[in-house]
Amino acid sequence: MAPESTTLLDRPRQSSPPPPLDWLTLADAFEVACLVRCTPPPATDARRLDVGAYRGGIAEFNREDAARRMRQLLHRLDVPVEHELATGGLRRRYELHRLSVPREHRATYATLLEAGWRQGRRELLGGPFPGASTARRVWRPRLAAAAWRAALLAGGRHVRRHSLGIRLADRDLAAVLVRGATLLEVPAVLRPGAGCFLVSVANGPHRVRITESAALAPAAC
């Protein structure tokens, strides 16, 4: 009996899951995670960095407003970030905004984004919640709006005469957008494409509701 008891006592205890994020922190961390998931990994990640779930603390955007929004969110989360701008092209000029979290802050950044994505995804895909609290009823549509804001800023726009679409490589994010649209009282359609997923909403009142829900004043930083 003694050896068996000793063996049981020697087994490492499983660590308890981290406490859930408060709603305000959750909304910010979830939106950052959605912004990152909208974009392909930077080419340098695969060669030089520990890629992980959030690409070694690096994200690249071809739109300044997406980069500014991510900077604003990380500032609110107390995560420092460096912003580099590169330009290129001859006849058609382009800009590339590269955001990088300093190495000593990447663990905090990755932990926040992982928790934000996991908790936010569960809130949007796991409902309905019988007897949900007032806070949950208020914040679930805000999380839906945050996901759509990230997609409209950083996703691949697919605009047609009858619809507004977002091209995404991330299947989970596509599902989150469809469910988020439902919470915003807008029907959305998910279609597989060539190497991507297309989430679209019809032009007219549905598109207006999505864009108005996701609208945000320009970032101050």
Side-chain angles (χ1 to χ4, degrees):
M1 294 294 294
E4 183 178 352
S5 299
T6 302
T7 301
L8 291 173
L9 290 172
D10 288 343
R11 289 178 182 171
R13 295 181 179 179
Q14 293 184 349
S15 58
S16 57
L21 302 176
D22 65 83
W23 287 108
L24 188 58
T25 303
L26 169 60
D28 287 349
F30 178 65
E31 188 173 340
V32 175
C34 291
L35 282 166
V36 173
R37 286 172 174 268
C38 281
T39 62
T44 54
D45 280 3
R47 298 195 300 269
R48 300 188 311 173
L49 300 173
D50 177 15
V51 179
Y54 291 102
R55 303 166 184 176
I58 291 179
E60 292 178 347
F61 302 97
N62 58 14
R63 292 183 56 182
E64 183 181 4
D65 49 359
R68 287 172 62 86
R69 178 59 178 164
M70 184 164 168
R71 283 175 52 195
Q72 182 190 44
L73 292 167
L74 289 178
H75 177 74
R76 295 203 309 224
L77 292 168
D78 292 324
V79 176
V81 64
E82 299 167 358
H83 184 176
E84 300 173 71
L85 172 62
T87 59
L90 296 174
R91 299 176 67 180
R92 287 192 174 185
R93 304 292 291 174
Y94 68 86
E95 293 184 346
L96 182 67
H97 297 265
R98 182 181 177 90
L99 300 183
S100 56
V101 175
R103 186 175 299 276
E104 62 271 23
H105 297 280
R106 288 176 189 167
T108 300
Y109 166 85
T111 299
L112 269 172
L113 266 62
E114 181 62 36
W117 171 254
R118 183 176 59 249
Q119 192 176 333
R121 178 180 180 275
R122 184 172 63 244
E123 288 292 337
L124 293 184
L125 298 184
F129 296 91
S133 66
T134 301
R136 174 166 273 159
R137 291 196 296 270
V138 168
W139 279 97
R140 289 181 75 221
R142 292 183 183 177
L143 291 174
W148 270 97
R149 183 160 49 249
L152 290 169
L153 284 171
R157 291 284 189 102
H158 185 82
V159 181
R160 290 292 181 266
R161 204 172 85 183
H162 301 295
S163 67
L164 166 66
I166 306 292
R167 289 190 301 268
L168 301 162
D170 190 299
R171 180 197 297 267
D172 283 346
L173 180 55
V176 161
L177 290 181
V178 173
R179 179 57 182 162
T182 301
L183 284 171
L184 297 173
E185 301 179 356
V186 174
V189 177
L190 172 61
R191 294 188 179 93
C196 69
F197 300 91
L198 179 65
V199 181
S200 59
V201 296
N203 281 341
H206 293 155
R207 175 174 177 171
V208 169
R209 184 168 181 82
I210 284 288
T211 55
E212 287 184 347
S213 297
L216 191 73
C221 64

